[in-house]
Amino acid sequence: MGRALRGLPYRWYARRLSARLRAAGPGALPRHVAVAMDGNRRWARQAGYADPTIGHRFGAEHVDELLTWCAAIGIGHVTVYVASSDNLRKRSSDEVGHLMRMVEEVVATRLASPSHRWRLHVAGRLDELPDSTRDALKLAVSSTAGRSEGLELTVAIGYDGRQEIVDAVRSYLDDGGSADDLTPDDIARHLYTRGQPAPDLVIRTSGEQRLSGFLIWQAAHAELYFCDAYWPGFRQVDFLRALRTYARRKAAGMVDA
């Protein structure tokens, strides 16, 4: 009972923030939110876990909460940064293996469930992933392809924004394009994320204030929001505060239309 009562101010504040954002109208909110989910291991250490890689499980499970928050407030496009190509190369094989299992067992499996509403897309070099992870993601993409509620989730994994641009140019040339005629629109049509709108708001957790190669082409005009909370501890009120900052900056004419 005491714990439930202590949670009342938080729930009241979250409802109040959400109601104010809805009242501001759909134009005040981003259409597409991208999240660099940073700080899983640091969160686990802070929480007292002997094995910090357990943070990856909490981080993977937290994606579902983010999607619930977005759907509830009317945001239909979400991109999450799960692992960069650099992560896969530089982290220990044990940690990478654990993270990939979480992607398979938590993210891909849950998204593929018939009860889930989101349609999955994957951005990155899947050939850098273990066979089991690649297969699980491909199955989830296939099984969610027919969903038509307008809720689109992109998982960036084995991803590097600079390599994406290189691959886009190569793809354009392979399709018969001319280097002399190359335009920004040509590159956009050959990105891993082609067909998806550019993000309006990019959130990075854990206090780091850099993109680390995340959607560097697509986020050229996005609002950036940095939050000190580690990803598994990123609360709904933290998310709503990011949306509030975006709405205020847009109302002030500080966000690109």
Side-chain angles (χ1 to χ4, degrees):
M1 177 66 73
R3 186 175 181 181
L5 289 174
R6 286 195 299 271
L8 285 175
Y10 168 83
R11 292 193 294 272
W12 173 83
Y13 182 50
R15 285 196 297 268
R16 183 167 174 259
L17 270 179
S18 183
R20 287 187 172 183
L21 286 165
R22 287 196 191 93
L29 292 174
R31 178 186 179 193
H32 180 178
V33 172
V35 183
M37 309 180 300
D38 197 17
N40 290 336
R41 293 178 301 166
R42 281 170 283 174
W43 175 86
R45 291 191 189 99
Q46 189 179 74
Y49 288 98
D51 180 4
T53 62
I54 192 67
H56 292 313
R57 172 169 284 278
F58 285 92
E61 291 176 344
H62 201 36
V63 172
D64 248 353
E65 293 183 85
L66 173 68
L67 298 180
T68 298
W69 303 337
C70 287
I73 206 162
I75 296 170
H77 293 268
V78 177
T79 298
V80 292
Y81 199 8
V82 173
S84 68
S85 296
D86 207 41
N87 291 149
L88 299 181
R89 286 192 300 267
K90 294 184 177 179
R91 298 281 175 87
S92 71
S93 58
D94 286 346
E95 182 181 351
V96 171
H98 180 73
L99 175 59
M100 293 300 104
R101 285 194 298 276
M102 294 307 97
V103 171
E104 296 168 26
E105 298 171 9
V106 180
V107 178
T109 300
R110 289 188 183 178
L111 286 166
S113 168
S115 63
H116 220 287
R117 303 167 58 196
W118 291 75
R119 181 161 50 192
L120 177 64
H121 310 270
V122 180
R125 287 191 152 191
L126 293 186
D127 58 352
E128 295 184 357
L129 306 180
D131 290 347
S132 57
T133 308
R134 182 169 61 250
D135 292 344
L137 287 170
K138 286 183 176 180
L139 178 60
V141 168
S142 175
S143 62
T144 64
R147 295 175 184 168
S148 57
E149 290 191 49
L151 300 174
E152 311 283 350
L153 170 66
T154 300
V155 169
I157 184 169
Y159 178 89
D160 178 272
R162 292 177 298 179
Q163 186 62 53
E164 179 181 25
I165 296 169
V166 171
D167 288 346
V169 173
R170 287 175 175 165
S171 176
Y172 164 78
L173 295 175
D174 288 344
D175 286 346
S178 165
D180 292 335
D181 298 328
L182 180 64
T183 68
D185 286 343
D186 291 325
I187 292 177
R189 283 192 291 269
H190 289 81
L191 294 171
Y192 304 149
T193 58
R194 56 189 171 273
Q196 299 298 314
D200 306 294
L201 172 65
V202 178
I203 300 170
R204 179 165 184 166
T205 60
S206 86
E208 305 293 345
Q209 297 190 18
R210 58 183 185 272
L211 287 176
S212 296
F214 183 39
L215 302 179
I216 55 176
W217 179 279
Q218 298 89 332
H221 300 290
E223 181 75 4
L224 307 181
Y225 184 89
F226 301 105
C227 177
D228 288 336
Y230 299 136
W231 169 245
F234 183 72
R235 306 165 300 167
Q236 184 180 17
V237 292
D238 298 317
F239 176 64
L240 294 172
R241 284 168 177 161
L243 298 184
R244 181 178 63 186
T245 297
Y246 176 88
R248 286 174 174 173
R249 289 180 64 84
K250 187 167 185 180
M254 300 171 70
V255 174
D256 287 347

